[in-house]
Amino acid sequence: MSHTASFHFHGSLNDFLRAPRRDTSFDYTFAGSPAVKDTIEAIGVPHLEIREVRANGNSVSLSYKLQDKDEVQVYPFDGKEEELAAGIAAYRFVLDVHLGTLARSLRLLGFDTVYHNNLTDAEISGIAEEERRIVLTRDVNLLKHKAIPAGYWLRSQHTEEQLAEVVKRFRLLKQLKPFSRCLVCNGEILEVPKVDVLEQLPPKTRLYFDEFFQCSTCRRVYWKGSHYERMQALVSRLEQDLK
Ligand SMILES: [Zn+2]
């Protein structure tokens, strides 16, 4: 026997809905008594973006069994939340494939970011679960994996906008630690005496720079050249945008 409940999605959750369903109540027909989480995901909204579900005015868990004639309101994380989903202690990420440029940008800002261009969905979900990392992806279906502790669907296809979305969603502006992580391998970079890296430096760099940093994992050497200036410009744009 089929039943009907009404759903109303708020704020950024509307990004997952077709136009007629946005910012309004709509009826949804279902059979039996499914968990509200499954129904919400069938409608197209991944549960990891949800802060609260209310049924008939009362806050309910995601395992709440949907009843005939329920009136359901669904609210997003809206950037005002201080805490993350269960088990996430720090802002560490694992990125879906094809997000290599975003991975470098996050590392540039100092965030521990796992990225390989050949990971399967199952591997990404496994890394997120084991290492308690936040999944960033353009694929809504990836966020439906049950093992993933926290995640975010990137709305934009452009790296700098994606970076701004992530910084805003997880309130990272105060946590930027530029120049602390290797762009290539995600290792930590530490200051080193010039004499230790002299042989690896191009002649002009040897001449004009005195401060050097080295990746503790792959030994790549960094200095505050043009790449550093680009990063400072990026940080000030983020600060402007998210003020
Ligand atoms: Zn490295």
Side-chain angles (χ1 to χ4, degrees), residues 171-239:
R171 297 163 60 93
L172 301 178
L173 207 49
K174 296 249 161 30
Q175 305 198 34
L176 311 185
K177 272 202 282 174
F179 237 63
S180 60
R181 206 160 277 281
C182 178
L183 303 191
V184 177
C185 82
N186 195 43
E188 283 186 80
I189 65 173
L190 303 167
E191 198 162 354
V192 284
K194 186 172 184 176
V195 61
D196 286 8
V197 294
L198 209 54
E199 289 187 357
Q200 297 177 54
L201 305 176
K204 280 196 175 163
T205 305
R206 214 183 275 197
L207 203 59
Y208 294 121
F209 293 90
D210 289 312
E211 243 187 322
F212 293 92
F213 304 82
Q214 190 170 35
C215 173
S216 54
T217 308
C218 77
R219 316 311 292 172
R220 193 184 179 87
V221 177
Y222 292 88
W223 57 92
K224 294 183 172 177
S226 58
H227 148 94
Y228 184 73
E229 282 160 23
R230 278 202 301 279
M231 183 205 49
Q232 285 182 311
L234 175 66
V235 170
S236 32
R237 283 199 298 279
L238 279 173
E239 283 170 345

Coordinates of all heavy atoms in Angstrom, one line a residue, residues 171-239:
R171 N 34.4 26.3 7.8 CA 34.9 27.4 8.6 C 36.4 27.4 8.8 O 36.9 27.3 9.9 CB 34.2 27.5 9.9 CG 32.7 27.8 9.7 CD 31.9 27.4 11.0 NE 32.3 28.1 12.1 CZ 31.8 29.3 12.5 NH1 30.8 29.8 11.9 NH2 32.2 29.9 13.6
L172 N 37.1 27.4 7.7 CA 38.6 27.1 7.8 C 39.4 28.4 7.7 O 40.6 28.3 7.9 CB 39.0 26.2 6.6 CG 38.3 24.8 6.6 CD1 38.8 24.0 5.4 CD2 38.5 24.0 7.8
L173 N 38.8 29.5 7.6 CA 39.6 30.7 7.3 C 40.6 31.0 8.4 O 41.7 31.4 8.2 CB 38.6 31.9 7.2 CG 39.1 33.1 6.3 CD1 39.7 32.7 5.0 CD2 38.0 34.1 6.1
K174 N 40.2 30.6 9.6 CA 41.1 30.9 10.8 C 42.2 29.8 10.9 O 43.0 29.8 11.8 CB 40.3 31.0 12.1 CG 39.4 32.2 12.1 CD 39.8 33.2 13.1 CE 39.3 34.6 12.9 NZ 38.0 34.7 12.3
Q175 N 42.1 28.7 10.1 CA 42.9 27.6 10.3 C 44.0 27.4 9.2 O 44.6 26.4 9.1 CB 42.1 26.3 10.4 CG 41.1 26.4 11.4 CD 40.5 25.1 11.8 OE1 41.2 24.1 11.8 NE2 39.3 25.0 12.2
L176 N 44.1 28.4 8.3 CA 45.0 28.3 7.2 C 46.4 28.2 7.7 O 46.8 29.0 8.6 CB 44.8 29.4 6.2 CG 43.4 29.8 5.7 CD1 43.5 30.9 4.7 CD2 42.7 28.6 5.2
K177 N 47.2 27.3 7.2 CA 48.7 27.2 7.6 C 49.5 27.1 6.3 O 50.1 26.1 6.0 CB 48.9 26.0 8.5 CG 48.7 26.3 10.0 CD 49.5 25.4 10.8 CE 48.8 24.0 10.9 NZ 49.5 23.0 11.7
P178 N 49.5 28.2 5.5 CA 50.2 28.2 4.3 C 51.7 27.8 4.5 O 52.3 28.1 5.5 CB 50.1 29.6 3.8 CG 49.0 30.2 4.5 CD 48.9 29.6 5.8
F179 N 52.2 27.1 3.5 CA 53.6 26.8 3.5 C 54.0 25.8 4.6 O 55.0 25.8 5.2 CB 54.5 28.0 3.7 CG 55.5 28.2 2.5 CD1 55.0 28.4 1.2 CD2 56.8 28.1 2.7 CE1 55.9 28.5 0.2 CE2 57.7 28.3 1.7 CZ 57.3 28.4 0.4
S180 N 53.1 24.8 4.8 CA 53.4 23.8 5.8 C 53.3 22.4 5.2 O 53.6 21.4 5.9 CB 52.5 23.9 7.0 OG 51.1 23.8 6.6
R181 N 52.9 22.3 3.9 CA 52.6 21.0 3.4 C 53.1 20.9 1.9 O 52.9 21.9 1.2 CB 51.1 20.7 3.5 CG 50.8 19.2 3.5 CD 49.4 19.0 4.1 NE 49.4 19.0 5.5 CZ 49.7 18.0 6.3 NH1 50.1 16.9 5.7 NH2 49.7 18.1 7.6
C182 N 53.6 19.8 1.6 CA 54.2 19.6 0.2 C 53.0 19.5 -0.8 O 52.1 18.7 -0.6 CB 55.0 18.3 0.2 SG 55.7 17.9 -1.4
L183 N 53.1 20.3 -1.9 CA 52.0 20.3 -2.9 C 51.9 18.9 -3.6 O 50.9 18.5 -4.1 CB 52.2 21.4 -3.9 CG 52.3 22.8 -3.4 CD1 52.3 23.8 -4.5 CD2 51.2 23.0 -2.3
V184 N 53.1 18.3 -3.7 CA 53.2 17.1 -4.6 C 52.7 15.8 -3.8 O 52.0 15.0 -4.3 CB 54.6 16.9 -5.2 CG1 54.7 15.7 -6.0 CG2 54.9 18.2 -6.0
C185 N 53.2 15.7 -2.6 CA 53.0 14.4 -1.9 C 52.3 14.5 -0.6 O 52.0 13.5 0.0 CB 54.4 13.7 -1.7 SG 55.2 14.3 -0.2
N186 N 51.9 15.7 -0.2 CA 51.1 16.0 1.0 C 52.0 15.8 2.3 O 51.5 15.9 3.4 CB 49.9 15.0 1.1 CG 48.9 15.4 2.2 OD1 48.6 16.6 2.3 ND2 48.4 14.5 2.9
G187 N 53.3 15.6 2.2 CA 54.2 15.5 3.4 C 54.3 16.9 4.0 O 53.9 17.9 3.5
E188 N 54.8 16.9 5.3 CA 55.0 18.1 6.0 C 56.3 18.8 5.5 O 57.3 18.1 5.3 CB 55.0 17.9 7.5 CG 53.7 17.7 8.0 CD 53.7 17.6 9.6 OE1 53.8 18.6 10.2 OE2 53.7 16.4 10.1
I189 N 56.3 20.1 5.3 CA 57.5 20.8 5.0 C 58.0 21.5 6.2 O 57.3 22.1 6.9 CB 57.4 21.7 3.7 CG1 56.5 22.8 3.9 CG2 56.9 20.9 2.5 CD1 56.5 23.8 2.7
L190 N 59.4 21.5 6.3 CA 60.0 22.1 7.5 C 61.2 23.0 7.0 O 61.8 22.8 5.9 CB 60.6 21.0 8.4 CG 59.6 20.0 8.9 CD1 60.4 18.8 9.5 CD2 58.7 20.6 9.9
E191 N 61.4 24.0 7.8 CA 62.5 24.9 7.4 C 63.9 24.2 7.5 O 64.1 23.4 8.4 CB 62.5 26.2 8.3 CG 63.3 27.3 7.7 CD 63.0 28.6 8.4 OE1 62.1 28.7 9.2 OE2 63.7 29.6 8.0
V192 N 64.8 24.5 6.5 CA 66.1 23.8 6.5 C 67.2 24.9 6.2 O 66.9 25.9 5.5 CB 66.2 22.7 5.4 CG1 65.5 21.5 5.8 CG2 65.8 23.2 4.0
P193 N 68.4 24.7 6.7 CA 69.5 25.6 6.4 C 69.8 25.6 4.9 O 69.8 24.6 4.3 CB 70.6 25.1 7.2 CG 70.1 24.1 8.2 CD 68.8 23.6 7.6
K194 N 70.1 26.8 4.4 CA 70.4 26.9 3.0 C 71.5 25.9 2.5 O 71.4 25.3 1.5 CB 70.8 28.4 2.7 CG 71.0 28.7 1.2 CD 71.2 30.2 1.0 CE 71.4 30.5 -0.4 NZ 71.5 32.0 -0.6
V195 N 72.5 25.8 3.4 CA 73.7 25.0 3.0 C 73.2 23.5 2.7 O 73.8 22.8 1.9 CB 74.8 25.1 4.1 CG1 74.3 24.6 5.4 CG2 76.0 24.3 3.7
D196 N 72.2 23.1 3.4 CA 71.7 21.7 3.2 C 71.1 21.4 1.9 O 71.1 20.3 1.4 CB 70.7 21.3 4.3 CG 71.3 21.1 5.7 OD1 72.5 21.4 5.8 OD2 70.6 20.7 6.6
V197 N 70.6 22.5 1.2 CA 69.9 22.2 0.0 C 70.5 22.9 -1.2 O 70.0 22.9 -2.3 CB 68.4 22.7 0.1 CG1 67.7 21.8 1.1 CG2 68.3 24.2 0.5
L198 N 71.7 23.6 -0.9 CA 72.4 24.4 -1.9 C 72.5 23.7 -3.3 O 72.2 24.3 -4.4 CB 73.8 24.7 -1.4 CG 74.4 26.1 -1.9 CD1 73.4 27.2 -1.6 CD2 75.7 26.3 -1.2
E199 N 72.8 22.5 -3.3 CA 73.1 21.8 -4.6 C 71.8 21.6 -5.4 O 71.9 21.3 -6.6 CB 73.8 20.5 -4.3 CG 75.2 20.7 -3.9 CD 76.0 19.4 -3.7 OE1 75.4 18.4 -3.9 OE2 77.2 19.6 -3.4
Q200 N 70.7 21.6 -4.8 CA 69.4 21.4 -5.5 C 68.8 22.7 -6.1 O 67.8 22.7 -6.7 CB 68.4 20.8 -4.6 CG 68.7 19.4 -4.0 CD 67.7 18.9 -3.1 OE1 66.5 18.9 -3.4 NE2 68.1 18.6 -1.9
L201 N 69.5 23.8 -5.8 CA 68.9 25.1 -6.2 C 69.3 25.6 -7.5 O 70.5 25.5 -7.9 CB 69.2 26.2 -5.1 CG 68.9 25.8 -3.7 CD1 69.4 27.0 -2.7 CD2 67.4 25.7 -3.5
P202 N 68.3 26.2 -8.3 CA 68.7 26.9 -9.5 C 69.6 28.1 -9.2 O 69.5 28.7 -8.1 CB 67.4 27.4 -10.1 CG 66.3 26.7 -9.3 CD 66.9 26.3 -8.0
P203 N 70.5 28.5 -10.1 CA 71.5 29.6 -9.7 C 70.9 30.9 -9.2 O 71.3 31.4 -8.2 CB 72.2 29.8 -11.1 CG 71.9 28.6 -11.9 CD 70.7 28.0 -11.4
K204 N 69.8 31.3 -9.8 CA 69.2 32.6 -9.3 C 68.6 32.5 -8.0 O 68.6 33.4 -7.2 CB 68.1 33.1 -10.3 CG 68.8 33.8 -11.5 CD 67.8 34.6 -12.3 CE 68.5 35.4 -13.4 NZ 67.7 35.9 -14.5
T205 N 68.0 31.3 -7.7 CA 67.4 31.1 -6.4 C 68.5 31.1 -5.3 O 68.3 31.7 -4.3 CB 66.7 29.7 -6.4 OG1 65.7 29.7 -7.5 CG2 65.9 29.5 -5.1
R206 N 69.6 30.5 -5.7 CA 70.8 30.4 -4.8 C 71.2 31.8 -4.4 O 71.6 32.1 -3.3 CB 71.9 29.7 -5.5 CG 72.8 28.9 -4.7 CD 73.9 28.3 -5.5 NE 73.5 27.1 -6.1 CZ 74.4 26.2 -6.6 NH1 75.7 26.4 -6.5 NH2 74.0 25.1 -7.2
L207 N 71.1 32.7 -5.4 CA 71.5 34.1 -5.2 C 70.5 34.9 -4.4 O 70.9 35.7 -3.6 CB 71.7 34.7 -6.6 CG 72.6 35.9 -6.8 CD1 74.0 35.5 -6.4 CD2 72.7 36.3 -8.3
Y208 N 69.2 34.8 -4.7 CA 68.3 35.8 -4.2 C 67.5 35.3 -3.0 O 66.8 36.1 -2.4 CB 67.3 36.2 -5.3 CG 67.9 36.9 -6.4 CD1 67.8 36.4 -7.7 CD2 68.6 38.1 -6.2 CE1 68.4 37.1 -8.8 CE2 69.2 38.8 -7.2 CZ 69.1 38.3 -8.5 OH 69.7 39.0 -9.5
F209 N 67.6 34.1 -2.6 CA 66.8 33.6 -1.5 C 67.6 33.0 -0.4 O 68.7 32.4 -0.7 CB 65.7 32.5 -1.9 CG 64.7 33.1 -2.8 CD1 64.9 33.1 -4.2 CD2 63.5 33.6 -2.3 CE1 63.9 33.7 -5.1 CE2 62.5 34.2 -3.1 CZ 62.7 34.2 -4.5
D210 N 67.2 33.2 0.9 CA 68.0 32.6 2.0 C 67.2 31.7 2.9 O 67.7 31.0 3.7 CB 68.5 33.8 2.8 CG 69.6 34.5 2.1 OD1 70.5 33.8 1.6 OD2 69.5 35.8 2.0
E211 N 65.8 31.7 2.7 CA 65.0 30.9 3.5 C 64.5 29.7 2.7 O 63.9 29.9 1.6 CB 63.7 31.7 3.9 CG 63.6 32.0 5.4 CD 62.2 32.6 5.6 OE1 61.8 33.5 4.8 OE2 61.6 32.3 6.6
F212 N 64.7 28.5 3.2 CA 64.3 27.3 2.5 C 63.5 26.3 3.3 O 63.7 26.3 4.6 CB 65.5 26.7 1.8 CG 66.1 27.5 0.8 CD1 67.1 28.4 1.1 CD2 65.6 27.5 -0.5 CE1 67.6 29.3 0.1 CE2 66.1 28.3 -1.5 CZ 67.1 29.2 -1.2
F213 N 62.7 25.6 2.7 CA 61.9 24.6 3.3 C 62.0 23.3 2.5 O 62.1 23.3 1.3 CB 60.4 25.0 3.4 CG 60.2 26.3 4.0 CD1 60.4 27.5 3.3 CD2 59.9 26.4 5.4 CE1 60.3 28.8 3.9 CE2 59.7 27.7 6.0 CZ 59.9 28.8 5.3
Q214 N 61.9 22.1 3.3 CA 62.0 20.9 2.5 C 60.9 19.9 3.0 O 60.6 19.9 4.2 CB 63.4 20.3 2.8 CG 63.7 19.1 1.9 CD 65.1 18.6 2.0 OE1 65.7 18.7 3.1 NE2 65.6 18.1 0.9
C215 N 60.4 19.2 2.0 CA 59.4 18.2 2.4 C 60.0 17.0 3.1 O 61.1 16.5 2.7 CB 58.7 17.6 1.1 SG 57.6 16.2 1.4
S216 N 59.4 16.6 4.3 CA 60.0 15.6 5.1 C 59.8 14.2 4.4 O 60.5 13.3 4.8 CB 59.4 15.6 6.5 OG 58.0 15.6 6.4
T217 N 59.0 14.1 3.5 CA 58.7 12.8 2.8 C 59.5 12.7 1.5 O 60.3 11.8 1.3 CB 57.2 12.6 2.6 OG1 56.5 12.9 3.8 CG2 56.9 11.2 2.1
C218 N 59.2 13.6 0.5 CA 59.9 13.4 -0.8 C 61.1 14.3 -1.0 O 61.7 14.3 -2.1 CB 58.8 13.7 -1.9 SG 58.4 15.4 -2.2
R219 N 61.5 15.1 0.0 CA 62.7 15.9 0.0 C 62.6 17.1 -1.0 O 63.6 17.8 -1.2 CB 64.0 15.1 -0.3 CG 64.1 13.8 0.4 CD 63.9 13.9 1.9 NE 64.9 14.6 2.6 CZ 64.8 14.9 3.9 NH1 63.7 14.6 4.6 NH2 65.7 15.6 4.5
R220 N 61.5 17.4 -1.6 CA 61.4 18.5 -2.5 C 61.6 19.8 -1.8 O 61.2 19.9 -0.6 CB 60.0 18.5 -3.1 CG 59.7 19.4 -4.3 CD 58.2 19.4 -4.6 NE 58.0 20.2 -5.8 CZ 58.1 19.8 -7.0 NH1 58.5 18.6 -7.3 NH2 57.9 20.7 -8.0
V221 N 62.3 20.8 -2.4 CA 62.7 22.0 -1.7 C 61.8 23.1 -2.2 O 61.4 23.3 -3.3 CB 64.2 22.4 -2.0 CG1 64.5 23.7 -1.4 CG2 65.1 21.3 -1.5
Y222 N 61.4 24.0 -1.2 CA 60.5 25.1 -1.5 C 61.2 26.4 -1.0 O 61.9 26.4 0.0 CB 59.2 24.9 -0.7 CG 58.3 23.8 -1.3 CD1 58.4 22.5 -0.8 CD2 57.4 24.1 -2.3 CE1 57.7 21.5 -1.3 CE2 56.6 23.1 -2.8 CZ 56.7 21.8 -2.3 OH 56.0 20.8 -2.8
W223 N 60.8 27.5 -1.6 CA 61.2 28.8 -1.1 C 60.2 29.8 -1.5 O 59.2 29.5 -2.3 CB 62.6 29.2 -1.7 CG 62.6 29.2 -3.2 CD1 62.4 30.3 -4.1 CD2 62.9 28.1 -4.1 NE1 62.5 29.9 -5.4 CE2 62.9 28.6 -5.4 CE3 63.3 26.8 -3.9 CZ2 63.1 27.7 -6.5 CZ3 63.5 25.9 -4.9 CH2 63.4 26.4 -6.3
K224 N 60.2 31.0 -0.9 CA 59.1 31.9 -1.1 C 59.3 32.8 -2.3 O 59.4 34.0 -2.3 CB 59.1 32.8 0.2 CG 58.7 32.0 1.4 CD 58.6 32.9 2.7 CE 58.0 32.1 3.8 NZ 57.9 32.8 5.1
G225 N 59.2 32.1 -3.5 CA 59.3 32.7 -4.8 C 57.9 33.1 -5.3 O 57.0 33.4 -4.6
S226 N 57.8 33.1 -6.6 CA 56.5 33.5 -7.3 C 55.3 32.7 -6.8 O 54.2 33.2 -6.7 CB 56.7 33.4 -8.8 OG 57.0 32.1 -9.1
H227 N 55.6 31.4 -6.6 CA 54.6 30.5 -6.1 C 54.0 31.0 -4.7 O 52.8 30.9 -4.5 CB 55.2 29.1 -6.1 CG 54.7 28.2 -5.1 ND1 53.7 27.3 -5.3 CD2 55.1 28.0 -3.8 CE1 53.5 26.6 -4.3 NE2 54.3 27.0 -3.3
Y228 N 54.9 31.5 -3.9 CA 54.5 32.0 -2.6 C 53.6 33.2 -2.7 O 52.6 33.4 -2.0 CB 55.7 32.3 -1.8 CG 55.4 32.7 -0.4 CD1 55.0 31.8 0.6 CD2 55.6 34.0 0.0 CE1 54.7 32.2 1.9 CE2 55.3 34.4 1.3 CZ 54.9 33.5 2.3 OH 54.6 33.9 3.5
E229 N 54.0 34.1 -3.7 CA 53.2 35.3 -3.9 C 51.8 35.0 -4.4 O 50.8 35.6 -4.0 CB 53.9 36.2 -4.9 CG 55.0 37.0 -4.2 CD 56.0 37.6 -5.2 OE1 55.7 37.7 -6.4 OE2 57.2 37.8 -4.8
R230 N 51.7 34.0 -5.3 CA 50.4 33.5 -5.8 C 49.5 33.0 -4.7 O 48.3 33.3 -4.6 CB 50.5 32.4 -6.9 CG 50.9 32.9 -8.2 CD 50.5 31.9 -9.3 NE 51.2 30.6 -9.1 CZ 52.4 30.4 -9.5 NH1 53.1 31.3 -10.1 NH2 53.0 29.2 -9.3
M231 N 50.2 32.3 -3.7 CA 49.4 31.8 -2.6 C 48.9 32.9 -1.7 O 47.8 32.9 -1.3 CB 50.3 30.8 -1.8 CG 49.5 30.2 -0.7 SD 50.6 29.8 0.7 CE 51.5 31.2 0.9
Q232 N 49.7 33.9 -1.5 CA 49.3 35.0 -0.6 C 48.1 35.8 -1.3 O 47.2 36.2 -0.6 CB 50.5 36.0 -0.4 CG 51.4 35.4 0.6 CD 52.6 36.4 0.9 OE1 53.2 37.0 -0.1 NE2 52.8 36.7 2.1
A233 N 48.2 35.9 -2.6 CA 47.1 36.5 -3.3 C 45.8 35.7 -3.2 O 44.7 36.3 -3.0 CB 47.5 36.7 -4.8
L234 N 46.0 34.4 -3.3 CA 44.8 33.5 -3.1 C 44.2 33.6 -1.7 O 43.0 33.7 -1.6 CB 45.3 32.0 -3.4 CG 44.2 30.9 -3.1 CD1 43.1 31.0 -4.2 CD2 44.9 29.6 -3.2
V235 N 45.0 33.7 -0.7 CA 44.5 33.8 0.7 C 43.8 35.2 0.8 O 42.7 35.2 1.4 CB 45.7 33.7 1.7 CG1 45.2 34.1 3.1 CG2 46.2 32.3 1.7
S236 N 44.3 36.2 0.3 CA 43.6 37.5 0.5 C 42.3 37.5 -0.3 O 41.3 38.1 0.2 CB 44.5 38.7 0.2 OG 45.4 38.5 -0.8
R237 N 42.3 36.9 -1.5 CA 41.0 36.8 -2.2 C 39.9 36.0 -1.4 O 38.8 36.4 -1.3 CB 41.1 36.1 -3.6 CG 41.7 37.1 -4.6 CD 41.5 36.6 -6.0 NE 42.0 35.3 -6.3 CZ 43.3 35.0 -6.6 NH1 44.1 36.0 -6.7 NH2 43.7 33.8 -6.9
L238 N 40.4 34.9 -0.8 CA 39.5 34.1 0.1 C 39.0 34.9 1.2 O 37.8 34.9 1.6 CB 40.2 32.9 0.6 CG 40.3 31.7 -0.3 CD1 41.2 30.6 0.4 CD2 38.9 31.1 -0.6
E239 N 39.9 35.7 1.9 CA 39.5 36.5 3.0 C 38.5 37.6 2.6 O 37.5 37.9 3.3 CB 40.7 37.1 3.6 CG 41.5 36.1 4.5 CD 42.8 36.6 5.0 OE1 43.3 37.6 4.4 OE2 43.4 35.9 5.9

